């Protein structure tokens, strides 16, 4: 299997995109994760012309959109010979374009529909008339050139080149299509950069820098390492972008083979969609972030971060760093006397399938507990004590994640309201829909909880401080919950079939409002999504196999690496602790008699 994936990497530039397009919608790879069907597609299965219902004319500067007809539910769409900026969503078949004034006239494109062995092509012509001029800004195109000026008529090729030119008030317009990081698909040890674009410049409060598609065009930023990496940056907006990683092309063997590796080769299993390092006043809205082996979004050392109206799914599977869909693992504030403003906001997001499927490690701690205890959909942690302010989570739908739908650790004075949680804790038994670890919230109310029968609605290490009126179905901790959580037979209308509107048992004003629920359903359709848990089932047998392989592969102590000579690996099931000399004793007791604590 390892040789197979090595061969695929050598051919990635040609083959990986097609593989990801066919696998990303449902979680990539085999497995037995919980699944809900996709929302209805753009039309019934048919062999009619793909573009039969498409308008055949538009104007320059106008947003053109057509939903192409599928062959059947498994249809994948692509284009050949598309004019600059035109792109089609590979799963939903939605075709997007906002033509430039210079693109007036007739344009032809070949529409390709594939389902199994069926492969249908059609030439489609679209007439572009006069219209609006292009807006001022910095332009980037997959067929641009970084030696050009970055105007609408002479776009750059890479986002990395564009961000280096950006200043306060600038808008960076990406023409439709796919963008890749430098070195995509090549050997990781020879990379010059481990991201698609590194952002270190800043806008101002009144003149933010914006990255967005041109018009309604469909933009994918594809990376086999990190996507957008912010460092000491301020006042940026990211709007309506899709960021896609390569987790669907990896598996447990790829991750295990790098578990002990401290070289740059680790980048292939640690890549994050958007990493915010010591950055402030960053707004992410309307984005789709998926299939990164590390976090979809991570915030370390920053604050005034807002992620809104976005889809964050199928992230965090293979990282050995232990992460989450949206990971605020070490936020930090500068204005430490202003404690009332919301300085991290999660609002209106659809979050699913994020799961840690690999045992994580921090070697510098000296002891590694061989368990999986990460993988929240949404995560907020302040155990470093560097975050002063409040945290807000509202109007989110978080479901089918590996650990909690939302997990808080050492976070006080948070507001968690009008969220919907469904069937989380897929991989971590000692978890629930909402986890409050050493956290006392100001207000937890109007949320809807549907936990798995053997999982918790709210798992807390303290009290239920701040828990007000909420609705929940029966779960493992029903008898322990405060009376303010009303028990009903159903909180959602039909979750098994993807309908997350309120059930008749839940009064208006609880859970996400009707507009957000409708938007979630629309996003599922537009993105061609199937709501599904991560493909790897984390069972006791699976964990034992991971532990055995990790101990078996333990390298000899070497003063040149970062693995402590006296490192201890702890098996939480047996309570045994192993040093290097004991590595072959697993699962029995260690020969050295090492004591865990």
């Amino acid at each position: 299997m390892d040789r197979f994936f090595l061969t695929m990497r050598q051919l990635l530039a040609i083959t990986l995109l097609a593989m990801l397009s066919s696998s990303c919608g449902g979680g990539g790879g085999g497995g037995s994760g919980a699944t809900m069907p996709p929302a209805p597609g753009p039309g019934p299965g048919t062999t009619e012309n793909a573009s039969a219902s498409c308008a055949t004319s538009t104007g320059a500067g106008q947003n053109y959109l057509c939903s192409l007809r599928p062959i059947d539910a498994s249809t994948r769409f692509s284009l050949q010979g598309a004019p600059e900026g035109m792109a089609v969503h590979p799963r939903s078949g939605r075709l997007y374009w906002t033509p430039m004034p210079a693109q007036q006239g007739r344009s032809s494109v070949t529409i390709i529909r594939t389902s199994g062995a069926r492969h249908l092509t059609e030439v489609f012509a679209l007439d572009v008339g006069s219209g609006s001029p292009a807006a001022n800004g910095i332009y980037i195109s997959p067929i641009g050139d970084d030696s050009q000026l970055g105007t609408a008529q002479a776009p750059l090729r890479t986002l990395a080149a564009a961000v280096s030119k950006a200043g306060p008030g600038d808008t960076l317009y990406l023409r439709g299509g796919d963008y890749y990081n430098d070195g995509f698909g090549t050997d990781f040890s020879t990379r010059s950069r481990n991201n698609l674009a590194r952002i270190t410049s800043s806008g101002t409060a009144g003149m933010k820098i914006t990255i967005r598609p041109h018009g309604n065009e469909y933009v994918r930023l594809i990376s086999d390492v990190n996507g957008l990496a912010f460092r000491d940056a301020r006042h940026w907006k990211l709007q309506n972008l899709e960021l896609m990683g390569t987790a669907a092309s990896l598996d447990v063997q790829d991750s295990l083979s790098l578990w002990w590796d401290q070289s740059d080769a680790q980048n292939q299993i640690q890549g994050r969609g958007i990493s915010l390092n010591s950055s402030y006043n960053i707004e992410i809205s309307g984005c789709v972030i998926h299939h990164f082996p590390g976090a979809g979004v991570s915030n370390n050392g920053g604050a005034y971060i807002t992620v809104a109206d976005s889809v964050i799914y199928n992230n965090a599977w293979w990282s050995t760093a232990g992460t989450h869909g949206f990971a605020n693992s070490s936020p930090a504030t500068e204005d430490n006397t202003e404690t009332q403003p919301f300085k991290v906001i999660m609002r209106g997001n659809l979050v699913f399938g994020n799961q840690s499927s690999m045992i994580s490690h921090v070697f510098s701690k000296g002891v590694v507990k061989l368990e999986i205890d990460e993988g929240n959909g949404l995560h907020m942690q302040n155990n470093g004590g560097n975050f002063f302010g409040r945290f807000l989570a509202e109007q989110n739908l978080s479901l089918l994640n590996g650990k909690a739908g939302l997990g808080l650790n050492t976070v006080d004075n948070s507001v968690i309201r009008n969220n919907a949680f469904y069937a989380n804790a897929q991989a971590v038994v000692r978890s629930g829909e909402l986890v409050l670890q050493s956290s006392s919230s100001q207000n937890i109310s109007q949320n809807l909880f549907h936990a798995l029968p053997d999982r918790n609605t709210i798992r807390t290490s303290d009290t239920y401080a701040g828990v007000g009126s909420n609705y929940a179905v029966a779960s493992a901790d029903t008898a322990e919950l405060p009376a303010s959580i009303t028990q009903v037979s159903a909180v959602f209308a039909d979750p098994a079939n993807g309908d997350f509107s309120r059930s008749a048992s839940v009064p208006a004003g609880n859970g996400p409002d009707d507009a957000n629920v409708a938007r979630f359903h629309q996003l599922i359709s537009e993105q061609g999504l199937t709501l599904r848990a991560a493909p790897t089932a984390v069972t006791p047998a699976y964990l034992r196999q991971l532990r055995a392989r990790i101990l078996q592969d333990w390298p000899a102590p070497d003063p040149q690496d970062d693995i402590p000579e006296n490192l201890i690996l702890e098996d939480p099931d047996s309570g045994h602790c192993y040093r290097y000399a004991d590595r072959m004793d697993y699962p029995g007791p260690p020969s050295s008699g090492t004591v865990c604590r």
Side-chain angles (χ1 to χ4, degrees):
M1 183 63 72
D2 290 344
R3 284 195 298 271
F4 170 76
F5 278 105
L6 177 61
T7 302
M8 288 299 293
R9 291 193 186 104
Q10 292 170 338
L11 298 173
L12 267 171
I14 301 172
T15 62
L16 182 57
L17 179 57
M19 180 176 69
L20 288 175
S21 294
S22 66
S23 64
C24 286
S32 57
T35 307
M36 282 172 289
T46 178
T47 56
E48 297 175 12
N49 291 342
S51 62
S53 61
C54 294
T56 57
S57 64
T58 189
Q62 294 182 6
N63 294 341
Y64 180 84
L65 169 64
C66 178
S67 292
L68 301 176
R69 296 178 183 270
I71 300 170
D72 55 31
S74 63
T75 303
R76 294 296 179 261
F77 300 86
S78 59
L79 303 178
Q80 187 175 51
E84 184 179 30
M86 180 185 287
V88 65
H89 195 290
R91 294 186 303 276
S92 71
R94 292 169 68 90
L95 187 148
Y96 302 86
W97 193 30
T98 305
M100 291 284 191
Q103 293 178 305
Q104 293 181 49
R106 172 160 289 196
S107 292
S108 295
V109 60
T110 299
I111 298 168
I112 304 171
R113 294 176 292 163
T114 302
S115 178
R118 301 188 67 184
H119 186 79
L120 303 180
T121 63
E122 173 199 345
V123 176
F124 173 62
L126 182 63
D127 293 318
V128 179
S130 61
S132 305
N136 292 327
I138 300 172
Y139 284 81
I140 311 99
S141 168
I143 59 172
D145 188 323
D146 284 347
S147 66
Q148 298 185 140
L149 296 176
T151 63
Q153 297 76 28
L156 304 168
R157 185 183 64 83
T158 68
L159 189 54
V163 298
S164 69
K165 297 177 179 290
D170 282 338
T171 297
L172 282 59
Y173 291 105
L174 289 150
R175 298 303 308 270
D178 293 340
Y179 299 80
Y180 297 84
N181 58 290
D182 276 355
F184 182 89
T186 63
D187 190 294
F188 284 85
S189 64
T190 61
R191 300 293 182 89
S192 60
R193 188 172 65 236
N194 69 343
N195 51 65
L196 191 144
R198 188 169 188 262
I199 298 172
T200 58
S201 58
S202 295
T204 65
M207 299 181 69
K208 296 185 177 182
I209 305 173
T210 301
I211 303 176
R212 54 154 298 166
H214 168 62
N216 75 335
E217 292 182 347
Y218 174 51
V219 171
R220 287 199 303 186
L221 307 179
I222 303 171
S223 177
D224 60 0
V225 283
N226 295 313
L228 304 183
F230 288 77
R231 169 72 68 176
D232 298 316
R234 296 167 186 265
H235 301 292
W236 283 77
K237 287 184 177 181
L238 306 180
Q239 298 177 332
N240 303 331
L241 305 172
E242 180 173 343
L243 293 96
M244 182 170 75
T246 53
S249 69
L250 302 171
D251 66 6
V252 63
Q253 300 303 324
D254 292 286
S255 188
L256 280 170
S257 70
L258 293 165
W259 203 87
W260 291 101
D261 196 317
Q262 301 295 289
S263 72
D264 287 343
Q266 268 266 329
N267 288 334
Q268 63 192 286
I269 59 168
Q270 308 288 27
R272 295 163 289 177
I274 300 172
S275 60
L276 308 172
N277 298 297
S278 302
S279 296
Y280 295 83
N281 300 98
I282 310 296
E283 299 178 26
I284 300 167
S285 63
C287 291
V288 179
I289 306 161
H290 63 102
H291 285 95
F292 283 89
V297 181
S298 69
N299 168 34
N300 292 298
Y304 288 105
I305 307 299
T306 298
V307 176
D309 302 334
S310 294
V311 186
I312 303 172
Y313 75 99
N314 288 355
N315 301 291
W317 292 352
W318 302 122
S319 174
T320 56
T323 189
H324 313 275
F326 178 12
N328 284 274
S329 296
S330 54
T333 51
E334 297 173 308
D335 51 343
N336 295 341
T337 60
E338 295 293 328
T339 59
Q340 290 307 302
F342 292 118
K343 297 180 183 178
V344 172
I345 297 173
M346 305 174 185
R347 176 186 292 126
N349 301 294
L350 172 61
V351 183
F352 70 93
N354 303 286
Q355 173 178 299
S356 181
S357 299
M358 178 51 57
I359 292 170
S360 60
H361 60 69
V362 179
F363 290 141
S364 61
K365 291 182 177 181
V367 177
V368 173
K369 199 168 187 177
L370 298 176
E371 65 179 356
I372 292 176
D373 194 33
E374 308 289 351
N376 295 321
L378 301 170
H379 175 74
M380 179 71 182
Q381 177 173 296
N382 188 32
N383 58 5
N386 298 315
F387 180 83
F388 296 86
R390 293 196 297 163
F391 161 70
L392 172 65
E394 64 179 359
Q395 301 286 339
N396 300 289
L397 171 57
S398 187
L399 66 159
L400 299 167
N401 295 291
K403 196 178 179 184
L406 169 61
L408 271 62
N409 185 343
T410 56
V411 178
D412 293 333
N413 300 316
S414 59
V415 174
I416 303 167
R417 62 193 178 202
N418 293 102
N419 300 285
F421 301 95
Y422 178 79
N424 291 288
Q426 291 279 323
V428 181
V429 176
R430 302 180 310 278
S431 189
E433 299 305 298
L434 174 64
V435 171
L436 307 172
Q437 181 178 348
S438 302
S439 299
S440 178
S441 295
Q442 183 184 52
N443 179 19
I444 301 175
S445 62
Q446 278 70 59
N447 300 290
L448 305 182
F449 298 102
H450 183 138
L452 295 168
D454 60 345
R455 304 295 200 262
N456 294 329
T457 295
I458 299 177
R459 184 172 178 85
T460 177
S461 58
D462 299 309
T463 66
Y464 293 95
V467 176
S469 175
N470 299 272
Y471 285 78
V473 302
S475 62
D477 63 342
T478 295
E480 304 165 17
L481 296 175
S484 60
I485 299 182
T486 302
Q487 299 294 317
V488 292
S489 59
V491 292
F492 302 117
D494 188 7
N497 289 302
D499 185 353
F500 288 94
S501 54
R502 293 184 311 277
S503 74
S505 304
V506 176
N510 291 280
D513 60 33
D514 292 344
N516 272 298
V517 171
R519 184 175 56 81
F520 293 143
H521 293 162
Q522 182 66 22
L523 279 170
I524 293 167
S525 176
E526 289 177 356
Q527 296 295 320
L529 297 174
T530 299
L531 302 181
R532 180 178 295 171
T536 301
V538 176
T539 64
Y542 173 80
L543 289 169
R544 287 192 295 271
Q545 291 172 357
L546 295 186
R547 292 166 187 150
R549 171 70 182 275
I550 288 166
L551 283 151
Q552 171 189 310
D553 291 352
W554 199 337
D558 182 346
Q560 300 301 314
D561 64 30
D562 296 323
I563 303 172
E565 184 175 353
N566 293 321
L567 179 69
I568 293 174
L569 301 187
E570 178 182 349
D571 175 9
D573 287 350
S574 66
H576 296 324
C577 278
Y578 302 87
R579 296 186 185 274
Y580 172 74
D582 308 314
R583 65 194 184 282
M584 302 311 293
D585 296 332
Y586 178 82
S591 302
S592 65
T594 297
V595 178
C596 292
R597 296 289 187 272

